[in-house]
Amino acid sequence: MNATLTSKKESITIYLKDTFNDIGKVTLFATRFFREVLKPPYEMKEFLKQCYIIGYKSLPLVTITGFIMGLVLTLQSRPTLAKFGAESWLPSMVALSLIREIAPVITALICAGKVSSGIGAELGSMKVTEQIDAMEVSAINPFKYLVVTRILATTLMIPLLVIYADAIGVIGGYIGINIHGDVNLYRYLSQVLESITFSDIFPATMKTFFFGFFIGMIGCFKGYNAANGTESVGKAANSAVVTASLSIFIIDMIAVQLTDLFL
Amino acid sequence: MTEEQKIQNPSTDSNTAVIEIKDLHKAFGTNEVLKGVNLTVNKGENLVILGKSGSGKSITIKCIVGLMGIDKGEINVFGTDITKLDNTGLNEVRVRIGFLFQNAALYDSMSVRDNLGFTLKRHEKDLSEEEVENQIKEILDNVGLVEAIDKMPSELSGGMRKRIGLARTLILKPEIILYDEPTTGLDTITSREISELIIEIQKKYKTTSIIITHDMPCAKLTGNRIMILKDGVIHAEGTYEELEKSEDEWVRSFFL
């Protein structure tokens, strides 16, 4: 009995040690990013390439999910609003829900799955096959070339993808409304735009920069620090998705609290 | 040294030490891999390091380029202790050193042209696109693979990858080249071709090299001198012929 308790204590201690160790490493990694980001040379070509891969190549996925989000939200909300005779509020409700919460979180989660895992696997495989070491021995800063460019690209592209998802979601909502009714597009858009204020858009957009930063940073951290062996590439990708997704929820929770406090 | 080797291996300058390692110690946790390695490589010399797997051969050359930190000791490259250099100083030394990785470590996402151009463009910023292209073609010609210029690494065979890796190493015209198992995983004929290429490079570019290998024909062909690593220290040193006739049975077992 005592032996079991001791071994449990030991495993908890090891778990806590590992967790704090990881937090320390992530902090150092992020600090290095901020130290290197302003230092020349700037890897502009690689940054633009990453923007293309992360932003443009994610458009089909974001289009489909954004459209479905708007459509489903409208179809699901309609019966409840109809019960209270508030069907006319449907465009405003759909737009507000999408812009403030659903589109940023869902788009960020989709990108955590697609982008963070991709970065984790790519850098992990580069690490395992000594490509990162090859850059380093060629006197090229791999952190600047691989990590800084990717984190900057996700930080910039995720907010743009969210704004795009907002727009597509609103279109999905319009189609959803017209499945059971007949609403003029001009009237629908007027109602949507009337209901949105600065305090809806600003905090929702600001938090997406943090989503983007963490998606990129966690993917890069997991890949860049992958252990040797091909198994670690899969682990890096998997761990990147899980950690990035979790961090999105945590950031969202903090953002909502701060929005309530200040706006 | 045999007559064949005398012809193939260029003479070395035994007076000028290009790499000098003193009392190198390196441990991973409780596992002490290097326990006081001392070695000197002279200008223009090809030094082969032999040893069992896990004896710390690759770690030794990774320490020379600063890929791994050391626990104790001194690594003098071109007369500078690289363990005391900051990143900028280390990069200045690294530009003068080429490193051929075991699996060539070609950048998967880039074509052969970009693999070579990537390094060159970053260090020779004044070169025009045409000059870069010419230099890439010239180096590829030296390793006999000009036709592979537009290929992706995934389209190359093991031997071709090694050659392209070597070309990428040569593009900055390094004074030192460190080869980490250059013939591992290759057939006998390709292994010999790579070994001959190492000799050709030594002659043409007057490079100083350390070659880590398990391939005895490669060691015989390319090495001016051989060192054997055992239990974290240099256990034996000499020419191929001297070590082949060593009184130490363990040393002789490498040459069977």
Side-chain angles (χ1 to χ4, degrees):
Chain A
M1 187 72 178
N2 271 344
T4 323
L5 270 175
T6 316
S7 83
K8 270 187 182 170
K9 258 186 190 174
E10 271 174 11
S11 54
I12 290 169
T13 315
I14 291 168
Y15 176 76
L16 284 174
K17 260 187 187 173
D18 286 349
T19 309
F20 283 113
N21 197 17
D22 279 350
I23 293 170
K25 281 182 187 167
V26 173
T27 313
L28 285 174
F29 195 78
T31 313
R32 189 174 173 193
F33 166 78
F34 288 114
R35 220 177 37 228
E36 303 248 9
V37 71
L38 296 172
K39 260 196 251 167
Y42 307 109
E43 300 285 356
M44 211 55 194
K45 205 173 159 192
E46 179 64 12
F47 167 68
L48 293 175
K49 185 184 159 195
Q50 289 307 320
C51 285
Y52 172 78
I53 293 169
I54 292 161
Y56 183 74
K57 294 259 182 173
S58 302
L59 279 181
L61 194 61
V62 173
T63 308
I64 294 166
T65 46
F67 181 79
I68 293 171
M69 273 190 291
L71 184 79
V72 170
L73 186 64
T74 311
L75 293 176
Q76 294 275 31
S77 312
R78 189 191 183 95
T80 317
L81 287 176
K83 260 188 205 171
F84 296 101
E87 234 177 320
S88 60
W89 283 36
L90 201 50
S92 311
M93 201 217 77
V94 169
L96 281 175
S97 310
L98 277 173
I99 290 166
R100 289 183 72 146
E101 192 59 34
I102 297 172
V105 172
I106 300 285
T107 310
L109 285 174
I110 296 275
C111 290
K114 184 183 179 288
V115 177
S116 203
S117 67
I119 293 174
E122 187 190 9
L123 298 197
S125 126
M126 287 185 80
K127 169 94 178 180
V128 168
T129 54
E130 297 178 308
Q131 292 175 52
I132 292 179
D133 285 347
M135 269 185 205
E136 197 142 4
V137 295
S138 308
I140 295 164
N141 184 347
F143 193 91
K144 209 164 181 56
Y145 183 77
L146 298 170
V147 176
V148 172
T149 52
R150 278 160 179 76
I151 296 179
L152 279 181
T154 51
T155 311
L156 189 71
M157 285 298 116
I158 303 297
L160 293 179
L161 285 172
V162 169
I163 292 168
Y164 174 73
D166 287 341
I168 296 291
V170 168
I171 294 168
Y174 172 72
I175 290 168
I177 284 173
N178 278 289
I179 287 175
H180 295 290
D182 183 22
V183 179
N184 176 289
L185 178 65
Y186 178 76
R187 211 176 133 206
Y188 172 79
L189 287 178
S190 306
Q191 215 176 328
V192 165
L193 292 172
E194 265 171 30
S195 60
I196 302 166
T197 61
F198 174 76
S199 62
D200 297 317
I201 296 173
F202 182 72
T205 310
M206 285 315 289
K207 71 180 174 188
T208 58
F209 283 101
F210 288 94
F211 288 164
F213 174 76
F214 276 87
I215 286 170
M217 200 194 61
I218 289 164
C220 288
F221 174 77
K222 296 288 179 185
Y224 205 77
N225 292 295
N228 287 330
T230 44
E231 192 196 357
S232 59
V233 178
K235 274 187 183 168
N238 184 269
S239 174
V241 179
V242 174
T243 319
S245 305
L246 196 64
S247 70
I248 287 164
F249 286 115
I250 294 169
I251 294 163
D252 192 45
M253 187 181 71
I254 296 167
V256 169
Q257 296 294 321
L258 289 174
T259 310
D260 278 353
L261 274 176
F262 297 108
L263 291 170
Chain B
M1 194 180 279
T2 63
E3 202 52 42
E4 182 194 15
Q5 269 183 294
K6 274 178 190 164
I7 294 162
Q8 286 173 330
N9 287 351
S11 61
T12 63
D13 183 351
S14 56
N15 297 321
T16 324
V18 177
I19 301 171
E20 203 176 2
I21 298 178
K22 289 177 190 166
D23 195 29
L24 177 61
H25 286 253
K26 175 73 187 169
F28 296 92
T30 52
N31 179 23
E32 204 181 346
V33 184
L34 303 177
K35 300 172 187 172
V37 170
N38 291 290
L39 66 85
T40 304
V41 191
N42 296 314
K43 194 166 193 280
E45 182 184 30
N46 272 359
L47 173 74
V48 169
I49 301 181
L50 298 175
K52 283 169 72 178
S53 298
S55 58
K57 306 181 296 292
S58 297
I59 291 167
T60 306
I61 58 168
K62 282 183 179 173
C63 288
I64 293 173
V65 283
L67 271 181
M68 279 183 183
I70 65 165
D71 298 332
K72 194 183 154 196
E74 222 177 87
I75 300 173
N76 293 303
V77 183
F78 305 117
T80 311
D81 185 359
I82 62 120
T83 60
K84 292 190 171 67
L85 292 175
D86 61 4
N87 219 31
T88 317
L90 193 57
N91 280 342
E92 279 167 19
V93 177
R94 279 171 173 166
V95 173
R96 299 168 71 186
I97 306 175
F99 196 113
L100 180 67
F101 287 86
Q102 202 171 329
N103 295 310
L106 299 178
Y107 308 128
D108 286 337
S109 59
M110 299 180 197
S111 67
V112 168
R113 176 187 277 109
D114 292 339
N115 257 283
L116 271 67
F118 179 72
T119 317
L120 186 63
K121 283 177 191 169
R122 270 166 177 74
H123 294 293
E124 305 281 346
K125 289 185 176 132
D126 299 334
L127 291 178
S128 66
E129 282 295 322
E130 199 188 335
E131 285 168 323
V132 170
E133 181 76 6
N134 288 341
Q135 285 206 28
I136 291 170
K137 282 184 178 161
E138 188 195 322
I139 293 288
L140 283 175
D141 189 38
N142 284 339
V143 297
L145 277 177
V146 184
E147 72 281 1
I149 193 162
D150 289 316
K151 287 201 163 128
M152 294 301 284
S154 57
E155 297 172 86
L156 305 172
S157 67
M160 286 164 94
R161 289 175 74 91
K162 287 268 161 84
R163 281 169 183 269
I164 300 296
L166 202 48
R168 190 179 66 184
T169 303
L170 287 172
I171 198 103
L172 292 179
K173 305 201 168 45
E175 293 156 64
I176 297 173
I177 303 184
L178 308 173
Y179 298 90
D180 191 2
E181 303 196 19
T183 57
T184 298
L186 302 177
D187 61 85
T188 323
I189 297 166
T190 316
S191 291
R192 187 170 172 92
E193 283 171 4
I194 296 286
S195 302
E196 283 166 355
L197 194 57
I198 292 172
I199 301 287
E200 258 175 56
I201 286 164
Q202 187 193 15
K203 279 182 194 167
K204 188 166 180 180
Y205 295 94
K206 312 261 182 288
T207 53
T208 304
S209 307
I210 296 182
I211 302 148
I212 305 291
T213 189
H214 292 286
D215 177 10
M216 294 316 287
C218 170
K220 187 176 185 180
L221 199 64
T222 58
N224 299 112
R225 197 156 51 99
I226 294 174
M227 282 184 172
I228 304 180
L229 202 57
K230 187 189 178 190
D231 298 328
V233 291
I234 301 293
H235 180 75
E237 183 185 342
T239 62
Y240 188 93
E241 288 72 27
E242 283 165 3
L243 292 176
E244 198 177 22
K245 290 170 198 149
S246 167
E247 285 176 9
D248 187 331
E249 199 182 328
W250 188 82
V251 170
R252 273 202 321 275
S253 67
F254 279 91
F255 299 83
L256 294 175

